Amino acid sequence: MGKNKGSGGDKKGKDSSSGGDKKGLKPATAINVRHILCEKHSKKEEALEKLRNGAKFDEVAREMSEDKARQGGSLGWKVRGSLNGDFEKAAYELEPSTTANPKYVEVKTGFGYHIIMVEGRK
């Protein structure tokens, strides 16, 4: 008989391989997001180094971000669909964290290199 298209064990979206305690984030319609924007790769690497060495995310953003992130990189609450596509996809997949102990992700967009963290989801 005919093959069943779409069946198989390859379910995208289930993140069981990522080890650790990520229990699948509930879908959110808005996130409270911060970022550090750097035009040059070298500057982004410098910012990442500071974060790895324990600097607070908002302090690194104030010092290094090349946008109007004077509030420590805060973009505030952003609803789904209001951000750059690549930026938004990465941001919505992030677990919320604090500026003192941030979980962050890097994304390159037409604006430059972003280091993104999420403080809240709703």
Side-chain angles (χ1 to χ4, degrees), residues 61-85:
R62 267 192 280 278
E63 182 186 338
M64 313 254 337
S65 191
E66 295 170 355
D67 74 343
K68 53 184 183 300
R70 286 177 191 77
Q71 297 81 33
S74 178
L75 299 174
W77 286 95
K78 294 292 181 186
V79 295
R80 200 179 283 274
S82 68
L83 294 162
N84 171 285

mmCIF file of all heavy atoms in Angstrom, residues 61-85:
data_model
loop_
_atom_site.group_PDB
_atom_site.id
_atom_site.type_symbol
_atom_site.label_atom_id
_atom_site.label_comp_id
_atom_site.label_asym_id
_atom_site.label_seq_id
_atom_site.Cartn_x
_atom_site.Cartn_y
_atom_site.Cartn_z
ATOM 1 N N ALA A 61 25.655 45.589 28.278
ATOM 2 C CA ALA A 61 24.835 46.254 27.259
ATOM 3 C C ALA A 61 25.041 47.764 27.300
ATOM 4 O O ALA A 61 25.214 48.405 26.268
ATOM 5 C CB ALA A 61 23.352 45.918 27.461
ATOM 6 N N ARG A 62 25.039 48.336 28.514
ATOM 7 C CA ARG A 62 25.242 49.790 28.639
ATOM 8 C C ARG A 62 26.599 50.204 28.088
ATOM 9 O O ARG A 62 26.730 51.233 27.453
ATOM 10 C CB ARG A 62 25.119 50.218 30.100
ATOM 11 C CG ARG A 62 23.720 50.660 30.488
ATOM 12 C CD ARG A 62 23.700 51.338 31.839
ATOM 13 N NE ARG A 62 23.704 50.391 32.928
ATOM 14 C CZ ARG A 62 22.629 49.772 33.391
ATOM 15 N NH1 ARG A 62 21.454 50.002 32.857
ATOM 16 N NH2 ARG A 62 22.712 48.916 34.386
ATOM 17 N N GLU A 63 27.590 49.371 28.323
ATOM 18 C CA GLU A 63 28.958 49.702 27.923
ATOM 19 C C GLU A 63 29.221 49.434 26.437
ATOM 20 O O GLU A 63 29.906 50.204 25.775
ATOM 21 C CB GLU A 63 29.926 48.860 28.773
ATOM 22 C CG GLU A 63 31.379 49.136 28.509
ATOM 23 C CD GLU A 63 32.284 48.175 29.273
ATOM 24 O OE1 GLU A 63 31.844 47.598 30.279
ATOM 25 O OE2 GLU A 63 33.433 48.009 28.836
ATOM 26 N N MET A 64 28.667 48.351 25.886
ATOM 27 C CA MET A 64 29.095 47.879 24.573
ATOM 28 C C MET A 64 28.049 47.970 23.463
ATOM 29 O O MET A 64 28.394 47.969 22.297
ATOM 30 C CB MET A 64 29.532 46.398 24.661
ATOM 31 C CG MET A 64 30.447 46.112 25.809
ATOM 32 S SD MET A 64 32.180 45.826 25.502
ATOM 33 C CE MET A 64 32.447 45.317 23.906
ATOM 34 N N SER A 65 26.773 47.986 23.819
ATOM 35 C CA SER A 65 25.746 47.925 22.777
ATOM 36 C C SER A 65 25.737 49.195 21.943
ATOM 37 O O SER A 65 25.884 50.299 22.473
ATOM 38 C CB SER A 65 24.359 47.715 23.407
ATOM 39 O OG SER A 65 23.414 47.414 22.406
ATOM 40 N N GLU A 66 25.582 49.025 20.633
ATOM 41 C CA GLU A 66 25.652 50.156 19.712
ATOM 42 C C GLU A 66 24.276 50.623 19.254
ATOM 43 O O GLU A 66 24.129 51.195 18.193
ATOM 44 C CB GLU A 66 26.515 49.760 18.504
ATOM 45 C CG GLU A 66 27.954 49.509 18.917
ATOM 46 C CD GLU A 66 28.807 48.890 17.829
ATOM 47 O OE1 GLU A 66 28.282 48.561 16.755
ATOM 48 O OE2 GLU A 66 30.022 48.738 18.063
ATOM 49 N N ASP A 67 23.273 50.345 20.053
ATOM 50 C CA ASP A 67 21.949 50.901 19.747
ATOM 51 C C ASP A 67 21.545 51.797 20.904
ATOM 52 O O ASP A 67 22.362 52.132 21.752
ATOM 53 C CB ASP A 67 20.923 49.791 19.476
ATOM 54 C CG ASP A 67 20.514 49.080 20.756
ATOM 55 O OD1 ASP A 67 21.223 49.211 21.769
ATOM 56 O OD2 ASP A 67 19.486 48.398 20.741
ATOM 57 N N LYS A 68 20.300 52.147 20.971
ATOM 58 C CA LYS A 68 19.852 53.066 22.030
ATOM 59 C C LYS A 68 19.471 52.297 23.291
ATOM 60 O O LYS A 68 18.482 52.608 23.955
ATOM 61 C CB LYS A 68 18.695 53.929 21.518
ATOM 62 C CG LYS A 68 17.533 53.160 20.932
ATOM 63 C CD LYS A 68 16.496 54.122 20.381
ATOM 64 C CE LYS A 68 15.272 53.424 19.849
ATOM 65 N NZ LYS A 68 15.513 52.500 18.757
ATOM 66 N N ALA A 69 20.261 51.313 23.634
ATOM 67 C CA ALA A 69 19.954 50.441 24.773
ATOM 68 C C ALA A 69 20.478 51.019 26.074
ATOM 69 O O ALA A 69 21.258 50.395 26.766
ATOM 70 C CB ALA A 69 20.541 49.060 24.530
ATOM 71 N N ARG A 70 20.071 52.213 26.384
ATOM 72 C CA ARG A 70 20.559 52.848 27.600
ATOM 73 C C ARG A 70 19.973 52.220 28.852
ATOM 74 O O ARG A 70 20.454 52.411 29.943
ATOM 75 C CB ARG A 70 20.258 54.352 27.572
ATOM 76 C CG ARG A 70 21.185 55.074 26.614
ATOM 77 C CD ARG A 70 20.868 56.561 26.514
ATOM 78 N NE ARG A 70 21.593 57.158 25.423
ATOM 79 C CZ ARG A 70 21.266 57.038 24.136
ATOM 80 N NH1 ARG A 70 20.224 56.311 23.789
ATOM 81 N NH2 ARG A 70 21.966 57.621 23.194
ATOM 82 N N GLN A 71 18.904 51.459 28.697
ATOM 83 C CA GLN A 71 18.309 50.792 29.859
ATOM 84 C C GLN A 71 18.902 49.385 30.005
ATOM 85 O O GLN A 71 18.198 48.439 30.300
ATOM 86 C CB GLN A 71 16.786 50.671 29.707
ATOM 87 C CG GLN A 71 16.040 51.990 29.629
ATOM 88 C CD GLN A 71 16.074 52.598 28.236
ATOM 89 O OE1 GLN A 71 16.087 51.915 27.239
ATOM 90 N NE2 GLN A 71 16.084 53.910 28.171
ATOM 91 N N GLY A 72 20.179 49.256 29.769
ATOM 92 C CA GLY A 72 20.819 47.955 29.928
ATOM 93 C C GLY A 72 20.412 46.970 28.849
ATOM 94 O O GLY A 72 20.333 45.780 29.092
ATOM 95 N N GLY A 73 20.161 47.471 27.648
ATOM 96 C CA GLY A 73 19.823 46.599 26.536
ATOM 97 C C GLY A 73 18.358 46.216 26.459
ATOM 98 O O GLY A 73 17.961 45.432 25.608
ATOM 99 N N SER A 74 17.545 46.767 27.360
ATOM 100 C CA SER A 74 16.142 46.359 27.417
ATOM 101 C C SER A 74 15.353 46.859 26.215
ATOM 102 O O SER A 74 15.389 48.032 25.871
ATOM 103 C CB SER A 74 15.486 46.895 28.695
ATOM 104 O OG SER A 74 14.123 46.533 28.708
ATOM 105 N N LEU A 75 14.666 45.941 25.570
ATOM 106 C CA LEU A 75 13.729 46.298 24.501
ATOM 107 C C LEU A 75 12.301 46.273 25.031
ATOM 108 O O LEU A 75 11.361 46.556 24.311
ATOM 109 C CB LEU A 75 13.869 45.321 23.321
ATOM 110 C CG LEU A 75 15.251 45.296 22.666
ATOM 111 C CD1 LEU A 75 15.325 44.206 21.618
ATOM 112 C CD2 LEU A 75 15.602 46.642 22.068
ATOM 113 N N GLY A 76 12.154 45.862 26.296
ATOM 114 C CA GLY A 76 10.834 45.792 26.912
ATOM 115 C C GLY A 76 10.055 44.571 26.421
ATOM 116 O O GLY A 76 10.615 43.637 25.864
ATOM 117 N N TRP A 77 8.746 44.612 26.631
ATOM 118 C CA TRP A 77 7.876 43.512 26.210
ATOM 119 C C TRP A 77 7.616 43.634 24.718
ATOM 120 O O TRP A 77 7.184 44.673 24.244
ATOM 121 C CB TRP A 77 6.564 43.533 26.982
ATOM 122 C CG TRP A 77 6.736 43.068 28.395
ATOM 123 C CD1 TRP A 77 6.936 43.844 29.490
ATOM 124 C CD2 TRP A 77 6.764 41.711 28.842
ATOM 125 N NE1 TRP A 77 7.085 43.043 30.599
ATOM 126 C CE2 TRP A 77 6.975 41.745 30.232
ATOM 127 C CE3 TRP A 77 6.619 40.471 28.200
ATOM 128 C CZ2 TRP A 77 7.053 40.577 31.004
ATOM 129 C CZ3 TRP A 77 6.692 39.316 28.974
ATOM 130 C CH2 TRP A 77 6.912 39.381 30.355
ATOM 131 N N LYS A 78 7.898 42.565 23.990
ATOM 132 C CA LYS A 78 7.686 42.537 22.544
ATOM 133 C C LYS A 78 6.742 41.386 22.204
ATOM 134 O O LYS A 78 6.985 40.241 22.597
ATOM 135 C CB LYS A 78 9.020 42.321 21.802
ATOM 136 C CG LYS A 78 9.986 43.483 21.962
ATOM 137 C CD LYS A 78 9.464 44.698 21.250
ATOM 138 C CE LYS A 78 10.405 45.880 21.366
ATOM 139 N NZ LYS A 78 9.851 47.092 20.811
ATOM 140 N N VAL A 79 5.676 41.708 21.479
ATOM 141 C CA VAL A 79 4.737 40.661 21.081
ATOM 142 C C VAL A 79 5.281 39.928 19.866
ATOM 143 O O VAL A 79 6.067 40.468 19.091
ATOM 144 C CB VAL A 79 3.324 41.220 20.777
ATOM 145 C CG1 VAL A 79 2.697 41.796 22.034
ATOM 146 C CG2 VAL A 79 3.366 42.244 19.669
ATOM 147 N N ARG A 80 4.863 38.691 19.733
ATOM 148 C CA ARG A 80 5.299 37.866 18.609
ATOM 149 C C ARG A 80 4.951 38.571 17.300
ATOM 150 O O ARG A 80 3.856 39.085 17.144
ATOM 151 C CB ARG A 80 4.615 36.495 18.688
ATOM 152 C CG ARG A 80 5.330 35.439 17.888
ATOM 153 C CD ARG A 80 4.634 34.095 18.016
ATOM 154 N NE ARG A 80 4.889 33.426 19.280
ATOM 155 C CZ ARG A 80 5.949 32.646 19.504
ATOM 156 N NH1 ARG A 80 6.844 32.459 18.568
ATOM 157 N NH2 ARG A 80 6.099 32.037 20.652
ATOM 158 N N GLY A 81 5.906 38.635 16.392
ATOM 159 C CA GLY A 81 5.679 39.290 15.106
ATOM 160 C C GLY A 81 6.189 40.714 15.044
ATOM 161 O O GLY A 81 6.168 41.337 13.992
ATOM 162 N N SER A 82 6.674 41.249 16.169
ATOM 163 C CA SER A 82 7.109 42.650 16.186
ATOM 164 C C SER A 82 8.622 42.804 16.064
ATOM 165 O O SER A 82 9.128 43.914 16.050
ATOM 166 C CB SER A 82 6.632 43.343 17.466
ATOM 167 O OG SER A 82 7.297 42.808 18.588
ATOM 168 N N LEU A 83 9.350 41.685 15.993
ATOM 169 C CA LEU A 83 10.805 41.742 15.941
ATOM 170 C C LEU A 83 11.323 41.165 14.629
ATOM 171 O O LEU A 83 10.605 40.458 13.929
ATOM 172 C CB LEU A 83 11.401 40.930 17.105
ATOM 173 C CG LEU A 83 11.124 41.474 18.505
ATOM 174 C CD1 LEU A 83 11.356 40.410 19.552
ATOM 175 C CD2 LEU A 83 11.992 42.683 18.795
ATOM 176 N N ASN A 84 12.585 41.426 14.315
ATOM 177 C CA ASN A 84 13.240 40.813 13.165
ATOM 178 C C ASN A 84 13.072 39.296 13.259
ATOM 179 O O ASN A 84 13.227 38.715 14.326
ATOM 180 C CB ASN A 84 14.722 41.206 13.200
ATOM 181 C CG ASN A 84 15.557 40.468 12.179
ATOM 182 O OD1 ASN A 84 15.866 39.296 12.357
ATOM 183 N ND2 ASN A 84 15.916 41.154 11.121
ATOM 184 N N GLY A 85 12.777 38.644 12.149
ATOM 185 C CA GLY A 85 12.461 37.215 12.139
ATOM 186 C C GLY A 85 13.491 36.323 12.805
ATOM 187 O O GLY A 85 13.151 35.489 13.646
#
